[in-house]
Amino acid sequence: MKTVCLYFQVHQPWRLKTYRFFHIGKDHNYLDDLTNRAIMQKIARECYLPMNALLLKLIKENKGAFRVSFSLTGTVVEQFKAYAPEVLDSFRALVETGCVELLAETYSHSLAALSSKEDFKEQVKKHTAMLKAEFGVKPKAFRNTELIYSDEIGEAVGELGFKTMLAEGAKHILGWKSPDFVYAGAADQSLRLLLRNYKLSDDIAFRFSNQGWDEYPLTADKYAAWLSESEGEVINLFMDYETFGEHQKASTGIFDFVKNLPAAILKRGDLKFATVSETAAEHQPVAVLHCPHVMSWADEERDITAWLGNDLQNEAFGKLYAMKDKVRSLKSKDFEYVWNFMQTSDHFYYMATKWLSDGDVHSYFNPYGSSYEAFINYMNVLSDFQIEVEKALAAKKSSRSKK
C-alpha cells in the first residue's frame, strides 16, 4: 500500500507600494493597500473559496479516506482577516474535519533560516503561536520557506521539537536514490524527511494546461495510474495552493481533475492518502539524507539563487537583518509588524536576474519592470524604516535619561 501525501502551500506577500526617494522621511505607510486587497479578493474568488469548498465536499464524501496537509503563512492569514474573512472560516472548517493537517513554517515566509538560527526560531515560534490562536492546533511537522533545507537547518528544526520536515527531492542531493521514501536527517536522525516528487507535482502545477505536453490532457485516471506505477513507498505531491484556479484557471478543467482524483486513486486498491505526520509515522526511513549545502524547490538548480543569487539581493538581505537587534529592543508592535513583512522572501525574489526558462518564471510573478526597480523600491522603504527605528531608539534613550 503506497501513501499519497498531498500538501499545499498557501501564501501571499504584503506588496509594497511605489516608494520614491523623496518619500523617505515623510511617508511611513509602505503597503499598496488597494493592490493587496484586489489580489487577495481575486484569488479568494478564483482559488481559495472554490477549492476549499471542493476539498470539504471530497473529505465528507470519502469519510476520512481523503486527507491533505497545508501550511498558511502569517502574512496570508493577516490578509484573510483584513480582506477575506470568509476564507479563514473555510480553512477552519477544513481543519475541523480531522482530515487536514496544518504545518508550521516561518511566519513571514522569510529567509530567516539563512540569516541565523536565532532569527529562524523566532519566526517559527511566532507562526506556531498564530496557528494556535487562529485554529487551535499545535503543529507537529514543519515546512520551511520554499522548501529551503540543509543539514544545519534540519538540526534547528529538530531543536524546535518537530518530528517531520518537508524538503525537495533534488537530484543533486539524492543521486540515484528515489524521493518516494521517507529519509532521516543527517544532523538529527530522529527528524523524518518527506521529499517532494517534483516531476509528479509539476505535472499538475506547471504542465496541466500545456497543450504542447505529450501527456495532455491529464486525467485523474491517468495520473492515478502513474502514482500506482511508482516504485517507492510514498509519493509526496507538494505544490502552491494557487495552482488551482489561479495559475491553472478553472477553464483548464483543473477543478474537475481534483474532483475526480480521490476516487481515481482510492479505487486502485494499492494507494491511500495520509497527512504529512501520518506519512512519516507509517513508514520507516530507508536512509540518512546528507545535505551539507542549502537546497530549495526553485528553478533548475534547486538552490537559493532565486533569492540570494546577486549583489542586489545580498545587499538588501544584509541591510535588513543588520537591523534586527535594534528592532527587537524597541519591543513595539508597529515596528515588529513592518519588520515581519519586510522579511518576506518575495521581495528578494523580485530582485532576481535569472534568464531563459527560469527568468520567464521570475518575470511572470514580478510586479516590477526590472530587478533593479524592485531593489530600489525595497531599499527606499527600508531606508525610511531604518530612520524611524533610529528615531524611536533615540526617543526611548531620552525618556530613560530624564527618569
Side-chain angles (χ1 to χ4, degrees), residues 76-89:
V76 83
V77 170
E78 288 175 356
Q79 291 182 60
F80 290 158
K81 293 170 79 171
Y83 306 133
E86 67 277 17
V87 174
L88 192 55
D89 290 338

Side-chain angles (χ1 to χ4, degrees), residues 10 20 26 50 63 74 76 78-79 94 112 125 146 185 191 281 292 302 335 386-387 403:
V10 187
R20 309 294 187 195
K26 299 174 184 176
K63 299 177 180 177
V76 83
E78 288 175 356
Q79 291 182 60
L94 284 173
K125 288 176 181 176
E146 310 295 352
L191 183 70
R302 314 287 179 190
F335 282 99
Q386 189 171 31
I387 291 169
K403 291 178 182 179

Side-chain angles (χ1 to χ4, degrees), residues 151-320:
D151 294 339
E152 186 178 359
I153 293 171
E155 184 177 33
V157 169
E159 289 171 2
L160 284 163
F162 296 106
K163 304 301 182 186
T164 308
M165 184 173 178
L166 309 189
E168 175 66 14
K171 281 186 178 179
H172 69 279
I173 298 297
L174 281 170
W176 57 268
K177 296 189 289 292
S178 167
D180 298 338
F181 294 92
V182 175
Y183 290 85
D188 178 359
Q189 294 189 15
S190 67
L191 183 70
R192 300 292 180 259
L193 298 175
L194 301 189
L195 308 182
R196 185 174 84 112
N197 184 313
Y198 65 80
K199 183 195 177 298
L200 288 169
S201 298
D202 291 350
D203 284 342
I204 297 174
F206 293 109
R207 289 181 281 275
F208 181 82
S209 60
N210 180 5
Q211 296 185 25
W213 182 31
D214 57 5
E215 295 291 351
Y216 181 88
L218 181 61
T219 65
D221 284 331
K222 182 194 291 187
Y223 192 73
W226 291 350
L227 301 183
S228 185
E229 290 162 6
S230 166
E231 295 181 357
E233 297 175 345
V234 301
I235 307 135
N236 298 312
L237 307 173
F238 305 161
M239 63 200 79
D240 289 335
Y241 201 39
E242 294 78 15
T243 294
F244 306 95
E246 181 62 20
H247 305 326
Q248 304 291 344
K249 300 296 184 184
S251 59
T252 66
I254 191 70
F255 288 108
D256 288 332
F257 173 80
V258 174
K259 178 183 176 182
N260 296 322
L261 190 61
I265 287 174
L266 294 171
K267 75 181 182 182
R268 299 194 67 87
D270 62 343
L271 299 170
K272 68 173 183 176
F273 289 99
T275 65
V276 166
S277 292
E278 289 167 349
T279 301
E282 289 175 10
H283 299 276
Q284 289 299 311
V286 295
V288 172
L289 187 76
H290 293 276
C291 187
H293 304 295
V294 182
M295 69 172 174
S296 78
W297 70 354
D299 300 339
E300 289 293 327
E301 299 90 349
R302 314 287 179 190
D303 59 14
I304 58 169
T305 54
W307 304 277
L308 297 177
N310 64 41
D311 291 341
L312 303 179
Q313 294 167 315
N314 284 294
E315 182 178 344
F317 184 80
K319 185 174 181 181
L320 174 70

Side-chain angles (χ1 to χ4, degrees), residues 54-66 259 262:
L54 177 56
L55 292 186
L56 186 62
K57 182 173 181 287
L58 292 171
I59 287 169
K60 290 177 178 178
E61 287 177 353
N62 288 282
K63 299 177 180 177
F66 179 57
K259 178 183 176 182

Side-chain angles (χ1 to χ4, degrees), residues 337-352:
Y337 177 66
V338 176
W339 170 245
N340 277 313
F341 71 66
M342 289 298 284
Q343 291 185 63
T344 300
S345 65
D346 301 64
H347 303 308
F348 302 94
Y349 189 81
Y350 300 147
M351 301 175 201

